[in-house]
Amino acid sequence: MSDLSGTATGAGTGDGRPVALIASRMRFEEKLLLEAFRRRGAAVEVIDDRTLSYRVGDPAPAWRVVCNRSLAGTRRLEVSRMYESFGLPVVNSAATVAVCDDKIHSTLVLHAAGLPVPATAVALTPAAGEEAVRRVGLPAVVKPVNGSWGRGLCKVNDADAVEGVLALKESLPSPRQQLVYAQEFVRTPQRDIRVVVAGDRAVTAVHRTGEHWIGNVARGARTSRCPLTPELEDLALRAARAVGGGLLGVDLLESEDGRLLVNEVNSGVEFRGAAVGDEATALAIADAFAGHVLSRALPDGTPPGVIHGGELLRTGVPSPRTPPAAPPPLATAAAGTVPSQESDNP
Amino acid sequence: MSLDTLTERAACPDCGAGVDLAADTGVTEIVVCPGCTAELEVVAVGPLTLALAPEIEEDWGE
């Protein structure tokens, strides 16, 4: 039994600074991640994101890297912002989380990268929503801008349903909830594809099949293995790169008219479903995740640095915990790279 | 953090039934009460303390 707010030590690697695993819940995924870090000899400090606060200008915690597994989208973004501001590498980066957790932003970014996405239209008010739905055609799906687990998705088949959904949005209290994000309803073989990505690697792919048109595991969809073809791998990795990279769940739709579309990219990826009940697969995914996080860690002996767009630009920034009299070498900092530790991924 | 195995049983804060937890259960994990099926969160260990789990919030998810 474990107390979430503490340090679990493995054999220890590098200069001994732990990985910070920041989580809202110790779910299946977080427990496997914790074990994967420990198997790699990394010390891990586990932090409940609900306990966090900071003062601007605070010294950075003595961590090598932050693995952000916050369950709440709002806190997920703030965790990445907070620790990047301290000069610590965070996976996923604030830039990635900001894109993925906003459907409008992600669709714009994916489209700009030349990736195929469902026909999408946006209206800034419910009053303009009818035109947005008309632009994608009926049936359409109206989605919350920052929903997850299939919550709040509305399939609208006719003008009456559109009127009802827009009236409902008009009554919602938040301006963000009143944004209208409408997509074509993509007819699929009653399934979608989830590709799990860790850095530059597509780790596994599964079909998610359900009775409901929302093919989400949280809504009861079943998963089954999906061959990770070069086409799927290429599309998933291009989508992952477009949103800034990291530990991601790329959701693809195979339309009945032969298109392969990027539906969305998830920054708080769960992988219990992607393991399809196979322990070895679950462990392999967790290990790939841990490997990617460690590949982003501060090099041994280097203090926090300057993070921009999720990248460590340089290290050696003086802070109250890094006396300026003894700065570390900056030779590797100029290259802006971190030694990769991904070669031993499964 | 203590990863020592504990064998405590805690009472469900809703119905009072005894809830046995797996040895590797940790703080913030969610368990289901066998008596009333309420979702419970492990909020502390030593002593083991359970509370009703919070409802899913609007921004939770992937």
Side-chain angles (χ1 to χ4, degrees):
Chain A
M1 193 168 299
S2 60
D3 179 344
L4 182 63
S5 54
T7 302
T9 53
T13 59
D15 57 18
R17 285 176 296 179
V19 173
L21 176 61
I22 299 180
S24 314
R25 295 269 174 87
M26 288 303 281
R27 299 171 293 175
F28 174 84
E29 288 84 359
E30 284 72 38
K31 292 173 84 169
L32 287 192
L33 270 172
L34 181 59
E35 288 305 312
F37 284 124
R38 295 173 72 200
R39 276 197 305 275
R40 283 173 172 264
V44 182
E45 184 172 342
V46 185
I47 300 102
D48 183 340
D49 66 358
R50 294 169 296 184
T51 67
L52 292 173
S53 68
Y54 72 108
R55 181 180 187 278
V56 174
D58 274 351
W63 298 331
R64 304 170 62 193
V65 62
V66 175
C67 180
N68 180 0
R69 294 291 301 175
S70 189
L71 178 59
T74 306
R75 295 200 295 268
R76 183 156 57 229
L77 179 58
E78 294 308 325
V79 163
S80 290
R81 282 179 173 160
M82 180 188 306
Y83 292 108
E84 284 184 354
S85 80
F86 290 144
L88 292 169
V90 184
V91 181
N92 288 323
S93 71
T96 293
V97 174
V99 172
C100 292
D101 288 8
D102 181 318
K103 286 187 171 60
I104 296 174
H105 199 174
S106 7
T107 303
L108 292 172
V109 164
L110 293 168
H111 174 70
L115 290 153
V117 294
T120 305
V122 174
L124 302 192
T125 64
E130 191 176 329
E131 172 64 8
V133 176
R134 190 193 66 75
R135 298 287 300 274
V136 299
L138 292 175
V141 181
V142 177
K143 302 180 177 182
V145 170
N146 54 359
S148 186
W149 291 340
R151 288 193 306 270
L153 273 58
C154 299
K155 182 184 175 197
V156 288
N157 297 321
D158 56 35
D160 288 344
V162 174
E163 184 181 0
V165 167
L166 296 177
L168 176 63
K169 288 187 85 65
E170 187 81 58
S171 71
L172 296 175
S174 159
R176 290 202 65 73
Q177 292 172 320
Q178 294 194 7
L179 293 169
V180 180
Y181 174 93
Q183 282 189 325
E184 66 169 314
F185 175 70
V186 179
R187 296 183 193 284
T188 69
Q190 209 68 9
R191 70 183 188 191
D192 71 0
I193 297 171
R194 159 66 60 90
V195 182
V196 177
V197 172
D200 291 329
R201 180 175 169 222
V203 182
T204 192
V206 287
H207 288 297
R208 303 187 299 182
T209 309
E211 302 301 319
H212 198 273
W213 62 272
I214 301 174
N216 196 296
V217 171
R219 298 285 292 258
R222 302 179 310 278
T223 56
S224 57
R225 295 199 183 286
C226 171
L228 189 55
T229 64
E231 183 186 20
L232 288 184
E233 185 171 15
D234 175 67
L235 196 56
L237 291 179
R238 286 169 57 207
R241 280 194 292 270
V243 301
L247 306 178
L248 300 164
V250 181
D251 293 345
L252 307 174
L253 298 173
E254 308 160 283
S255 73
E256 288 182 350
D257 57 10
R259 294 173 294 160
L260 186 59
L261 305 167
V262 182
N263 191 33
E264 64 181 21
V265 184
N266 298 277
S267 73
V269 57
E270 296 160 352
F271 55 83
R272 189 171 201 161
V276 201
D278 180 59
E279 185 180 355
T281 303
L283 291 171
I285 297 170
D287 189 65
F289 278 24
H292 176 69
V293 171
L294 291 172
S295 79
R296 313 297 294 178
L298 291 170
D300 288 351
T302 58
V306 174
I307 306 288
H308 181 72
E311 295 299 316
L312 175 64
L313 296 183
R314 62 189 173 85
T315 61
V317 176
S319 79
R321 291 189 182 181
T322 56
L330 293 174
T332 57
T337 57
V338 180
S340 173
Q341 298 182 24
E342 293 201 4
S343 58
D344 56 346
N345 280 345
Chain B
M1 168 188 288
S2 167
L3 290 175
D4 294 339
T5 299
L6 300 180
T7 55
E8 287 181 76
R9 166 182 277 208
C12 171
D14 208 23
C15 73
V19 182
D20 291 320
L21 298 180
D24 63 348
T25 305
V27 168
T28 76
E29 280 197 55
I30 301 298
V31 297
V32 176
C33 171
C36 66
T37 72
E39 287 197 335
L40 307 173
E41 179 178 354
V42 179
V43 295
V45 293
L48 178 62
T49 309
L50 299 173
L52 286 172
E55 296 292 323
I56 291 174
E57 295 174 31
E58 177 193 333
D59 68 339
W60 285 18
E62 293 191 278

